[in-house]
Amino acid sequence: MTDRNELAGLTAVVTGGASGIGLATARLLAARGAAVAVLDLAPDGVPGPLTGLRADVTDDDSVRGAVRVAAEVLGGIDILVNNAGIGATGTIEDNADEAWHRVLDVNVLGIVRTTRAALPYLRLSGAAAVVNTCSIAATAGLPQRALYSASKGAVLSLTLAMAADHVREGIRVNCVNPGTVDTPWVGRLLDGAADPATERAALEARQPSGRLVSADEVAAAITYLASPAAGSITGTALAVDGGMAGLRLRPART
Ligand code: NAD
């Protein structure tokens, strides 16, 4: 049975928490009793009781400052959700070096900077957990996603390495691997497609469940990995992808 207040007394920081998966996660952590701060480029619309703090995960000073303020406001940091991320489309011929540096800077080094700043607080926690938002792109070869996939592959490896480095300090590190999730990000992707309805149908059909994942479903997985109920789970990747990574179905009969 789920304890609705299982995170009472704990504190959490969620990067990229002003939209999509991050916002759903911040809300769920708060609903389960945690005090939550959101670090985002655009935190102004973040609803109460969440604390919105402006931070750019590509800027070390910005991250350190926001993490320090979050720890002061919340009274420490027990849970860190490294979720801020950006996308990229195309093959290796399509993105200039600047785009590679930019996406790796946000998606990979963003996790490094934020976790590095949070570690002194996590070490003081009796229930420390880090959850990184990775992707199906880390474990399956998807067309037109070379740069994005490389960044998420790095997130998966980094999750395992961080889990090994910090397990003896009592800090668990895991990641979630969402399939295609119905968020503003995917909305923007569809808006840019020649035929958005056909593109959406193709994305839905790619997942064995036949539909997109919801942000709330990813938030539930993150919240579980972040909670003391997952106290023996570290160094894992939890797929939240409607079966996309693991299943091989025969074509549906018409
Ligand atoms: P989103 O665009 O709805 O939200 C991303 C948030 O991150 C935004 O609020 C944005 O302001 C913030 N952000 C971006 N760059 C930042 C920076 N430099 N510093 C601080 N904040 C920054 O996206 P989403 O779909 O909710 O994606 C969230 C995470 O989930 C990303 O890491 C993404 O790679 C991952 N993911 C998404 C999907 C999907 O289908 N939507 C699938 C797998 C993984």
Side-chain angles (χ1 to χ4, degrees), residues 15-28:
T15 71
S19 174
I21 293 168
L23 179 57
T25 301
R27 293 179 110 139
L28 185 56

PDB file of all heavy atoms in Angstrom, residues 15-28:
ATOM      1  N   THR A  15      15.697  19.667 -11.039  1.00  0.00           N
ATOM      2  CA  THR A  15      16.109  20.582 -12.109  1.00  0.00           C
ATOM      3  C   THR A  15      15.164  20.412 -13.302  1.00  0.00           C
ATOM      4  O   THR A  15      14.609  19.336 -13.524  1.00  0.00           O
ATOM      5  CB  THR A  15      17.565  20.342 -12.559  1.00  0.00           C
ATOM      6  OG1 THR A  15      17.650  19.104 -13.268  1.00  0.00           O
ATOM      7  CG2 THR A  15      18.525  20.360 -11.382  1.00  0.00           C
ATOM      8  N   GLY A  16      14.997  21.499 -14.053  1.00  0.00           N
ATOM      9  CA  GLY A  16      14.041  21.448 -15.160  1.00  0.00           C
ATOM     10  C   GLY A  16      12.636  21.166 -14.645  1.00  0.00           C
ATOM     11  O   GLY A  16      11.827  20.539 -15.319  1.00  0.00           O
ATOM     12  N   GLY A  17      12.356  21.669 -13.446  1.00  0.00           N
ATOM     13  CA  GLY A  17      11.102  21.326 -12.778  1.00  0.00           C
ATOM     14  C   GLY A  17       9.949  22.257 -13.070  1.00  0.00           C
ATOM     15  O   GLY A  17       8.911  22.179 -12.418  1.00  0.00           O
ATOM     16  N   ALA A  18      10.109  23.149 -14.054  1.00  0.00           N
ATOM     17  CA  ALA A  18       9.032  24.098 -14.360  1.00  0.00           C
ATOM     18  C   ALA A  18       8.122  23.604 -15.479  1.00  0.00           C
ATOM     19  O   ALA A  18       7.154  24.273 -15.837  1.00  0.00           O
ATOM     20  CB  ALA A  18       9.631  25.462 -14.735  1.00  0.00           C
ATOM     21  N   SER A  19       8.410  22.442 -16.051  1.00  0.00           N
ATOM     22  CA  SER A  19       7.634  21.975 -17.205  1.00  0.00           C
ATOM     23  C   SER A  19       7.674  20.451 -17.265  1.00  0.00           C
ATOM     24  O   SER A  19       8.569  19.812 -16.700  1.00  0.00           O
ATOM     25  CB  SER A  19       8.239  22.563 -18.497  1.00  0.00           C
ATOM     26  OG  SER A  19       7.614  22.030 -19.653  1.00  0.00           O
ATOM     27  N   GLY A  20       6.705  19.878 -17.937  1.00  0.00           N
ATOM     28  CA  GLY A  20       6.723  18.475 -18.324  1.00  0.00           C
ATOM     29  C   GLY A  20       7.005  17.492 -17.194  1.00  0.00           C
ATOM     30  O   GLY A  20       6.369  17.533 -16.132  1.00  0.00           O
ATOM     31  N   ILE A  21       7.967  16.599 -17.429  1.00  0.00           N
ATOM     32  CA  ILE A  21       8.290  15.534 -16.463  1.00  0.00           C
ATOM     33  C   ILE A  21       8.760  16.122 -15.133  1.00  0.00           C
ATOM     34  O   ILE A  21       8.384  15.644 -14.059  1.00  0.00           O
ATOM     35  CB  ILE A  21       9.386  14.618 -17.058  1.00  0.00           C
ATOM     36  CG1 ILE A  21       8.839  13.844 -18.267  1.00  0.00           C
ATOM     37  CG2 ILE A  21       9.939  13.658 -16.008  1.00  0.00           C
ATOM     38  CD1 ILE A  21       9.909  13.147 -19.100  1.00  0.00           C
ATOM     39  N   GLY A  22       9.574  17.176 -15.192  1.00  0.00           N
ATOM     40  CA  GLY A  22      10.107  17.775 -13.973  1.00  0.00           C
ATOM     41  C   GLY A  22       9.014  18.372 -13.110  1.00  0.00           C
ATOM     42  O   GLY A  22       9.003  18.191 -11.881  1.00  0.00           O
ATOM     43  N   LEU A  23       8.075  19.080 -13.738  1.00  0.00           N
ATOM     44  CA  LEU A  23       6.978  19.689 -12.979  1.00  0.00           C
ATOM     45  C   LEU A  23       6.090  18.598 -12.370  1.00  0.00           C
ATOM     46  O   LEU A  23       5.711  18.693 -11.196  1.00  0.00           O
ATOM     47  CB  LEU A  23       6.156  20.619 -13.890  1.00  0.00           C
ATOM     48  CG  LEU A  23       4.967  21.305 -13.224  1.00  0.00           C
ATOM     49  CD1 LEU A  23       5.383  22.130 -12.008  1.00  0.00           C
ATOM     50  CD2 LEU A  23       4.218  22.189 -14.237  1.00  0.00           C
ATOM     51  N   ALA A  24       5.772  17.576 -13.149  1.00  0.00           N
ATOM     52  CA  ALA A  24       4.942  16.476 -12.623  1.00  0.00           C
ATOM     53  C   ALA A  24       5.644  15.814 -11.443  1.00  0.00           C
ATOM     54  O   ALA A  24       5.009  15.451 -10.443  1.00  0.00           O
ATOM     55  CB  ALA A  24       4.667  15.453 -13.730  1.00  0.00           C
ATOM     56  N   THR A  25       6.977  15.675 -11.537  1.00  0.00           N
ATOM     57  CA  THR A  25       7.745  15.044 -10.455  1.00  0.00           C
ATOM     58  C   THR A  25       7.761  15.922  -9.209  1.00  0.00           C
ATOM     59  O   THR A  25       7.541  15.444  -8.088  1.00  0.00           O
ATOM     60  CB  THR A  25       9.183  14.769 -10.925  1.00  0.00           C
ATOM     61  OG1 THR A  25       9.144  13.910 -12.067  1.00  0.00           O
ATOM     62  CG2 THR A  25      10.019  14.132  -9.828  1.00  0.00           C
ATOM     63  N   ALA A  26       8.012  17.216  -9.408  1.00  0.00           N
ATOM     64  CA  ALA A  26       8.045  18.138  -8.261  1.00  0.00           C
ATOM     65  C   ALA A  26       6.699  18.135  -7.538  1.00  0.00           C
ATOM     66  O   ALA A  26       6.646  18.101  -6.296  1.00  0.00           O
ATOM     67  CB  ALA A  26       8.400  19.543  -8.751  1.00  0.00           C
ATOM     68  N   ARG A  27       5.624  18.119  -8.310  1.00  0.00           N
ATOM     69  CA  ARG A  27       4.275  18.119  -7.697  1.00  0.00           C
ATOM     70  C   ARG A  27       4.032  16.827  -6.925  1.00  0.00           C
ATOM     71  O   ARG A  27       3.451  16.843  -5.834  1.00  0.00           O
ATOM     72  CB  ARG A  27       3.210  18.268  -8.774  1.00  0.00           C
ATOM     73  CG  ARG A  27       3.233  19.621  -9.445  1.00  0.00           C
ATOM     74  CD  ARG A  27       2.164  19.686 -10.502  1.00  0.00           C
ATOM     75  NE  ARG A  27       1.113  20.588 -10.101  1.00  0.00           N
ATOM     76  CZ  ARG A  27       0.524  21.445 -10.926  1.00  0.00           C
ATOM     77  NH1 ARG A  27       0.883  21.491 -12.194  1.00  0.00           N
ATOM     78  NH2 ARG A  27      -0.410  22.241 -10.506  1.00  0.00           N
ATOM     79  N   LEU A  28       4.452  15.702  -7.494  1.00  0.00           N
ATOM     80  CA  LEU A  28       4.199  14.419  -6.825  1.00  0.00           C
ATOM     81  C   LEU A  28       5.041  14.288  -5.559  1.00  0.00           C
ATOM     82  O   LEU A  28       4.553  13.822  -4.519  1.00  0.00           O
ATOM     83  CB  LEU A  28       4.479  13.252  -7.785  1.00  0.00           C
ATOM     84  CG  LEU A  28       4.138  11.864  -7.245  1.00  0.00           C
ATOM     85  CD1 LEU A  28       2.669  11.773  -6.807  1.00  0.00           C
ATOM     86  CD2 LEU A  28       4.440  10.799  -8.296  1.00  0.00           C
TER      87      LEU A  28
END
